[in-house]
C-alpha cells in the first residue's frame, strides 16, 4: 500500500495493494485511474496519484447479465476525445475465446458524474479475438492498438493497429505490427495447471500495447512473455514518415526496454501506461508488478509508478523498476 509521509511529499510503491492492468490519465490537475476488477468498471479520482489507495472511487458501469460483455472485464482505459469521455475494456460472454473490446461514453465534464452509455463493440471486419485496446490521437487522426491472434490454436498473441472513424468504430482492416519472434519474447511455458498428459504447450505473448507520444515522435510500448513468467516491456518505434498502418514504417527494439528487478523486489512488470505530472514538467510510467517471482496473474499484481527520461535519439529511457523506498510524488500534485 502507498505510504504517504505526513508533512512530506514522498511515497513508496506500490501505490495501491492490488490493481492488475493499471491505467491513469491526468487532465486539468486531476488523475483518473482504472484497473481490472473483472466484474465492473471502477474509476478513481485524485489530485495526487500517489494517494490512490485513499482516493475517491466509484463504480461507473456494471454490465447487464447475459450480454456479450458481461464477464471477465479486463484492462479498462479511460480516454478523453472531442470533449467526451470514453472507456475501452475487454470482456466476454462465455470464456476467453469470446473476448472482444467494448466502448462506453460519457458527455459529462466530470467522468465521475453523468451517465455512461454503451456505444458497442469495437472490432475489425473479421471479428477476431482482441484484448487490451488503447487509443491515441496522433496528428488529428485516431488510431487503436490491441492484442489479438490469427486463430485460437496458434499459441501466439500479436500486436495489431487500425485507424478509427470515430472513438468507437474501426475504419478498415487491422494490421499486424509485432509478433513474439525474438528470443526474449518466447519464454512461453504455461502454468502447470494448464498442462495435459505431461505435455508442456507454449504460448508466446505480445499484449498490452500503449501509445507514447513525445516531441511528435510516436512509440508503442507492449508487454511480452506472460504475467506468470518474466513479463517485460518491448518497444515499437514509428519512423516518422509514411502510413502508420504500414509495418515497414515501424522498427522493433531488439532487446526489452524494461525488465523485472529481483534486487528491488519487483517481479513481472508490465501492462501500464504513461502520464504527465500535473504541472506538465515530468513524464511518468505506471505498471503492475508482483512482490515475488511466483505470484503469477492474480490480484497480487499491484500498480507502481516512477518517472522516466528520454535518450538523445528521442526514445524513452525507462531505467529499472525502482526500489520500494520513499521518493518524491509527481510534481504539481
Amino acid at each position: 500500500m502507498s505510504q504517504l509521509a505526513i508533512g512530506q511529499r514522498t511515497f513508496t510503491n506500490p501505490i495501491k495493494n492490488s490493481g492488475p492492468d493499471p491505467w491513469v490519465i491526468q487532465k486539468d490537475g486531476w488523475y483518473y485511474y482504472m484497473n481490472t476488477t473483472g466484474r465492473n468498471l471502477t474509476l478513481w479520482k485524485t489530485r495526487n496519484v500517489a494517494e490512490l489507495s485513499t482516493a475517491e472511487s466509484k463504480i461507473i458501469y456494471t454490465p447487464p447479465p447475459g450480454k456479450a460483455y458481461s464477464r471477465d472485464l479486463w484492462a479498462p482505459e479511460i480516454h478523453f476525445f472531442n470533449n467526451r469521455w470514453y472507456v475501452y475494456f475487454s470482456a466476454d460472454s462465455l470464456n476467453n475465446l469470446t473476448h472482444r473490446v467494448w466502448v462506453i461514453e460519457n458527455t459529462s465534464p466530470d467522468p465521475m458524474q453523468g451517465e455512461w452509455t454503451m456505444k458497442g463493440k469495437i472490432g475489425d471486419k473479421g471479428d477476431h479475438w482482441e484484448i487490451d485496446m488503447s487509443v491515441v490521437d496522433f496528428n488529428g487522426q485516431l488510431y487503436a492498438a490491441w492484442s489479438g491472434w490469427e486463430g485460437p490454436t496458434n499459441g501466439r498473441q500479436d500486436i495489431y493497429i487500425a485507424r478509427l472513424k470515430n472513438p468507437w468504430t474501426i475504419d478498415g482492416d487491422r494490421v499486424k505490427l509485432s509478433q513474439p519472434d525474438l528470443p526474449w519474447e518466447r519464454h512461453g511455458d504455461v502454468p502447470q495447471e494448464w498442462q495435459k498428459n505431461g505435455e508442456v504447450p507454449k504460448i508466446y505473448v505480445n499484449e498490452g500495447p500503449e501509445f507514447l507520444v513525445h516531441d511528435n515522435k510516436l512509440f508503442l510500448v507492449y508487454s511480452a512473455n506472460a504475467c506468470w513468467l518474466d513479463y517485460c516491456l518491448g518497444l515499437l518505434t514509428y519512423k516518422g514518415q509514411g502510413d502508420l498502418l504500414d509495418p515497414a514504417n515501424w522498427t522493433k527494439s531488439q532487446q526489452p526496454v524494461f525488465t523485472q528487478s529481483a534486487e528491488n523486489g519487483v517481479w513481472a512488470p508490465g501492462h501500464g501506461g504513461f502520464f504527465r505530472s500535473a504541472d506538465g514538467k515530468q513524464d511518468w510510467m505506471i505498471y503492475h508488478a508482483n512482490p515475488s517471482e511466483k505470484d503469477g496473474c492474480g490480484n497480487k499484481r499491484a500498480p507502481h509508478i516512477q518517472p522516466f527520461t528520454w535518450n538523445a535519439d528521442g526514445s524513452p529511457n525507462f531505467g529499472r523498476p525502482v526500489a520500494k523506498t520513499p521518493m518524491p510524488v509527481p510534481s504539481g500534485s
Side-chain angles (χ1 to χ4, degrees), residues 276-326:
R276 302 300 303 277
S277 59
D279 62 7
K281 295 180 179 180
Q282 296 175 334
D283 292 292
W284 286 71
M285 64 189 299
I286 186 171
Y287 58 92
H288 73 223
N290 277 322
S292 74
E293 186 178 12
K294 302 296 185 181
D295 290 325
C297 303
N299 288 329
K300 289 186 177 181
R301 293 175 295 171
H304 296 232
I305 61 172
Q306 63 186 73
F308 67 94
T309 58
W310 300 92
N311 296 311
D313 64 359
S315 62
N317 186 337
F318 300 128
R320 296 276 288 164
V322 297
K324 297 174 183 178
T325 57

Side-chain angles (χ1 to χ4, degrees), residues 61-320:
Y61 189 80
T62 300
K67 297 291 186 179
Y69 47 88
S70 294
R71 299 179 68 258
D72 299 328
L73 279 66
W74 295 351
E77 292 192 5
I78 185 168
H79 293 263
F80 189 75
F81 301 121
N82 304 323
N83 293 316
R84 298 186 177 200
W85 294 96
Y86 295 91
V87 171
Y88 299 81
F89 66 99
S90 313
D92 65 48
S93 59
L94 181 62
N95 55 42
N96 185 38
L97 294 177
T98 61
H99 255 111
R100 301 294 187 273
V101 175
W102 303 80
V103 187
I104 57 174
E105 179 191 64
N106 190 343
T107 61
S108 172
D110 183 351
M112 301 288 277
Q113 307 298 322
E115 181 180 358
W116 287 92
T117 59
M118 173 59 67
K119 298 300 291 184
K121 179 171 63 176
I122 177 170
D124 69 297
K125 293 178 181 178
D127 191 30
H128 292 94
W129 181 89
E130 61 184 9
I131 60 170
D132 298 352
M133 183 174 287
S134 194
V135 179
V136 71
D137 184 337
F138 187 66
N139 294 334
Q141 173 63 54
L142 290 177
Y143 296 89
W146 65 93
S147 181
W149 60 36
E150 295 176 359
T153 60
N154 74 341
R156 196 186 72 221
Q157 286 178 226
D158 305 328
I159 301 298
Y160 292 89
I161 190 172
R163 189 178 290 111
L164 299 184
K165 292 181 182 178
N166 53 49
W168 61 92
T169 309
I170 287 178
D171 183 11
D173 296 323
R174 67 176 187 169
V175 173
K176 184 172 68 175
L177 288 185
S178 176
Q179 68 182 51
D181 51 12
L182 297 173
W184 56 270
E185 299 176 294
R186 296 176 64 82
H187 302 168
D189 289 353
V190 303
Q192 186 174 3
E193 60 268 24
W194 295 7
Q195 300 173 17
K196 296 179 179 179
N197 302 321
E199 298 179 354
V200 183
K202 303 286 187 178
I203 296 178
Y204 304 119
V205 175
N206 280 181
E207 63 185 8
E210 302 294 352
F211 291 103
L212 177 59
V213 180
H214 179 69
D215 288 344
N216 207 39
K217 296 181 182 294
L218 180 64
F219 307 91
L220 258 178
V221 182
Y222 64 94
S223 301
N225 291 322
C227 50
W228 62 86
L229 296 169
D230 53 339
Y231 220 34
C232 60
L233 296 181
L235 181 69
L236 302 173
T237 301
Y238 172 56
K239 295 179 180 179
Q241 293 183 330
D243 189 355
L244 266 67
L245 272 61
D246 184 349
N249 294 327
W250 293 80
T251 59
K252 182 174 183 176
S253 296
Q254 295 300 291
Q255 297 296 328
V257 292
F258 195 67
T259 59
Q260 63 190 19
S261 173
E263 65 273 20
N264 289 335
V266 181
W267 299 90
H271 200 129
F274 310 97
F275 62 95
R276 302 300 303 277
S277 59
D279 62 7
K281 295 180 179 180
Q282 296 175 334
D283 292 292
W284 286 71
M285 64 189 299
I286 186 171
Y287 58 92
H288 73 223
N290 277 322
S292 74
E293 186 178 12
K294 302 296 185 181
D295 290 325
C297 303
N299 288 329
K300 289 186 177 181
R301 293 175 295 171
H304 296 232
I305 61 172
Q306 63 186 73
F308 67 94
T309 58
W310 300 92
N311 296 311
D313 64 359
S315 62
N317 186 337
F318 300 128
R320 296 276 288 164

